[in-house]
């Protein structure tokens, strides 16, 4: 694409110059309602994607989502095939070279849900979980105590596996699980046992291989300062 530039002194003379293509950032996201929702047809949406677009468009950059599983997302962050994502910075699968940016994106409550003894769920200490998530070290602690992990691709599939009584427990983040349950079977919540574990902050994680890392960090920091937010998810009203 060419743009025409005309001399102010010689208005009849114009030269064609190539237009500067906008910087396009690839955002790795996985099904994690209500912040991120991956629809059945593969389309991605949700407040986290919209806020990311607000942050980077204010700095002249565009965001293009890549809807993938968490395990795949970590590989693409390492290779630089995606520029950034939102995650817990202590995740073992994340390269220590990647850059978490302050302030945090949001705070999550990690919990362990269990079926009551009257249910038909197995009593084998099985735990439905997201593949490649170590849950702030809680995966290893539960393994040492004899729990058996059943790994699923994302939060929705892990929740469905547990709710279909195919595992005794579910390790999950409370907000996303309650959001999912309220849309599917809200009456089940009173039949489950809930054990809070810990609170964890999430952050924008910038790929160490992205050529846009410095520009992304500056955009996030400036956006947070402008809106005076302690958590980026609270910078703007969410739908």
């Amino acid at each position: 694409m060419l743009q025409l530039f005309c001399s102010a002194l010689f208005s009849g003379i114009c030269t064609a110059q190539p237009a500067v293509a906008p910087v396009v950032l690839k955002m790795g996201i996985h099904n994690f309602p209500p912040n991120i929702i991956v629809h059945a047809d593969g389309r991605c949406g949700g407040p986290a994607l919209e806020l990311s677009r607000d942050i980077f468009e204010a700095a002249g950059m565009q965001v293009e989502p890549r809807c993938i599983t968490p395990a795949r997302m970590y590989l693409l962050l390492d290779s630089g095939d995606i520029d950034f994502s939102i995650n817990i910075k202590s995740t073992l699968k994340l390269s220590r070279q990647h850059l978490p940016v302050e302030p945090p994106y949001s705070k999550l409550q990690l919990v362990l849900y269990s079926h009551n003894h009257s249910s038909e769920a197995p009593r084998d200490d099985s735990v439905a979980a997201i593949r490649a998530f170590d849950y702030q070290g809680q995966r290893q602690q539960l393994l040492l105590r004899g729990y058996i992990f059943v790994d699923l691709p994302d939060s929705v599939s892990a929740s469905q596996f547990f709710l279909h009584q195919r595992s005794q427990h579910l390790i999950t983040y409370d907000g996303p699980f309650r959001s999912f349950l309220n849309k599917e079977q809200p009456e089940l919540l009173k039949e489950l046992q809930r054990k809070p574990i810990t609170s964890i902050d999430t952050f924008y994680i910038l790929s160490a291989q992205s050529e846009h890392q410095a520009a992304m960090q500056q955009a996030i920091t400036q956006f947070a300062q402008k809106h005076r937010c302690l958590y980026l998810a609270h910078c703007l009203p969410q739908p």
Side-chain angles (χ1 to χ4, degrees):
M1 183 180 292
L2 299 178
Q3 290 182 334
L4 294 179
F5 293 88
C6 300
S7 168
L9 295 177
F10 306 99
S11 57
I13 301 176
C14 300
T15 58
Q17 304 222 357
V20 178
V23 171
V24 178
L25 304 174
K26 298 178 290 295
M27 178 183 182
I29 57 180
H30 58 88
N31 210 7
F32 202 74
N35 284 315
I36 296 174
I37 300 170
V38 179
H39 302 281
D41 61 3
R43 292 180 300 109
C44 308
L49 176 57
E50 295 309 312
L51 179 58
S52 299
R53 284 176 167 154
D54 288 337
I55 290 172
F56 294 113
E57 285 178 3
M61 296 178 280
Q62 298 178 3
V63 173
E64 186 177 283
R66 291 285 190 270
C67 311
I68 47 183
T69 63
R72 179 68 174 159
M73 183 179 71
Y74 299 140
L75 292 175
L76 295 184
L77 270 173
D78 287 347
S79 66
D81 289 320
I82 59 175
D83 296 289
F84 74 97
S85 187
I86 298 173
N87 212 284
I88 297 165
K89 61 184 178 181
S90 62
T91 299
L92 293 177
K93 292 289 185 179
L94 283 173
S95 166
R96 298 304 100 184
Q97 296 179 343
H98 297 327
L99 178 65
V101 183
E102 297 280 356
Y105 172 78
S106 68
K107 182 180 288 293
L108 297 176
Q109 176 70 50
L110 183 64
V111 297
L112 185 72
Y113 278 98
S114 305
H115 287 291
N116 291 321
H117 290 282
S118 59
S119 75
E120 297 181 2
R123 315 306 300 177
D124 57 359
D125 286 330
S126 54
V127 183
I130 301 173
R131 184 177 296 115
F133 272 30
D134 58 88
Y135 300 98
Q136 195 84 346
Q138 292 299 320
R139 175 189 287 267
Q140 185 62 26
Q141 292 190 34
L142 290 173
L143 286 171
L144 291 174
R145 291 163 56 189
Y147 288 83
I148 303 169
F149 274 72
V150 182
D151 287 323
L152 287 306
D154 56 35
S155 66
V156 172
S157 54
S159 297
Q160 290 173 332
F161 189 90
F162 170 72
L163 292 174
H164 291 159
Q165 300 189 26
R166 297 175 65 186
S167 68
Q168 184 179 355
H169 310 284
L170 169 71
I171 188 168
T172 186
Y173 297 105
D174 214 19
F177 178 68
R178 286 175 178 264
S179 173
F180 174 79
L181 199 60
N182 285 337
K183 291 183 179 180
E184 300 292 326
Q185 297 171 291
E187 71 279 359
L188 289 182
L189 191 61
K190 63 179 181 292
E191 300 177 13
L192 302 175
Q193 299 173 4
R194 177 182 178 276
K195 179 182 178 182
I197 300 177
T198 188
S199 294
I200 308 173
D201 285 343
T202 65
F203 296 83
Y204 276 103
I205 306 293
L206 312 184
S207 171
Q209 301 301 321
S210 174
E211 61 181 314
H212 309 300
Q213 188 188 89
M216 290 189 291
Q217 182 181 16
Q218 184 178 30
I220 295 168
T221 301
Q222 289 181 345
F223 191 90
Q225 290 174 346
K226 177 181 177 180
H227 293 279
R228 299 181 181 180
C229 44
L230 297 178
Y231 284 89
L232 287 160
H234 303 153
C235 277
L236 297 174
Q238 300 298 310

